[in-house]
Amino acid sequence: GEDVEQSLFLSVREGDSSVINCTYTDSSSTYLYWYKQEPGAGLQLLTYIFSNMDMKQDQRLTVLLNKKDKHLSLRIADTQTGDSAIYFCAERFYGGSQGNLIFGKGTKLSVKP
Amino acid sequence: EAGVAQSPRYKIIEKRQSVAFWCNPISGHATLYWYQQILGQGPKLLIQFQNNGVVDDSQLPKDRFSAERLKGVDSTLKIQPAKLEDSAVYLCASSFGGETQYFGPGTRLLVL
């Protein structure tokens, strides 16, 4: 079956880089996503990468995809206290009928001043 | 452009009561999703609509959960009767072409 795994916690100092890692299982996934969830809020789409890409950069965010190892990472440069949140990795799974999103349990990022 | 709207934002009920949640997707988005997010977990899909038709409801506990999207725009998710384990955040999302889903703020349900 499908599964997405993430480490549960990450703590960094303000100004450092953060790297959040994710592994997924469905080799047929075409899109992989990173969502951010702040306390009491819904999910905010940060970025996504198509499976035929190795890297995508968007301002402070860099996504790296290793299809061979089914490993996805999100790097946040110059991490700020406002980046403190839970980050969810998701794959678009085609084992069901219409490409549903399968989410990991989320990585809680804590940024210390 | 207005985002996905949900109401209510919070709801507290006793077990065996019924509850309903409402979602208004982004204008023009044909696909609408309801997810359940239990504390400490990622969201799990309950049901997916394409316009007013159900595409996938394989994860919906149909003995107590129901959802409809009669006119292909707004949607309602109902739980009747609620159980303690239904305490969660219920998230609605919508998409235009399916590649990118945009989420609402969620409804936080507590069943006592």
Side-chain angles (χ1 to χ4, degrees), chain B residues 22 55 86-87:
Chain B
W22 173 82
V55 170
D86 297 332
S87 293

Side-chain angles (χ1 to χ4, degrees), chain B residues 10-29:
Chain B
Y10 305 91
K11 191 74 177 179
I12 301 174
I13 61 172
E14 295 187 348
K15 60 182 179 184
R16 291 187 288 272
Q17 286 187 323
S18 62
V19 65
F21 313 129
W22 173 82
C23 173
N24 181 239
I26 293 172
S27 177
H29 282 194

Side-chain angles (χ1 to χ4, degrees), chain A residues 29-101:
Chain A
S29 294
T30 56
Y31 289 92
L32 295 134
Y33 303 82
W34 285 104
Y35 282 87
K36 175 184 180 182
Q37 187 174 40
E38 296 182 80
L43 273 70
Q44 174 194 353
L45 176 66
L46 287 178
T47 187
Y48 63 94
I49 188 167
F50 191 55
S51 60
N52 67 354
M53 299 168 64
D54 298 322
M55 185 182 85
K56 180 179 180 181
Q57 188 155 2
D58 183 1
Q59 299 182 343
R60 292 191 298 122
L61 305 179
T62 302
V63 178
L64 295 178
L65 175 60
N66 181 329
K67 278 198 73 176
K68 174 176 169 291
D69 295 335
K70 298 192 186 73
H71 183 266
L72 183 73
S73 68
L74 174 69
R75 178 178 180 269
I76 306 173
D78 187 25
T79 313
Q80 303 297 306
T81 54
D83 295 324
S84 293
I86 300 176
Y87 290 80
F88 290 94
C89 168
E91 64 172 334
R92 193 170 181 209
F93 174 65
Y94 284 92
S97 59
Q98 294 293 324
N100 301 323
L101 290 185

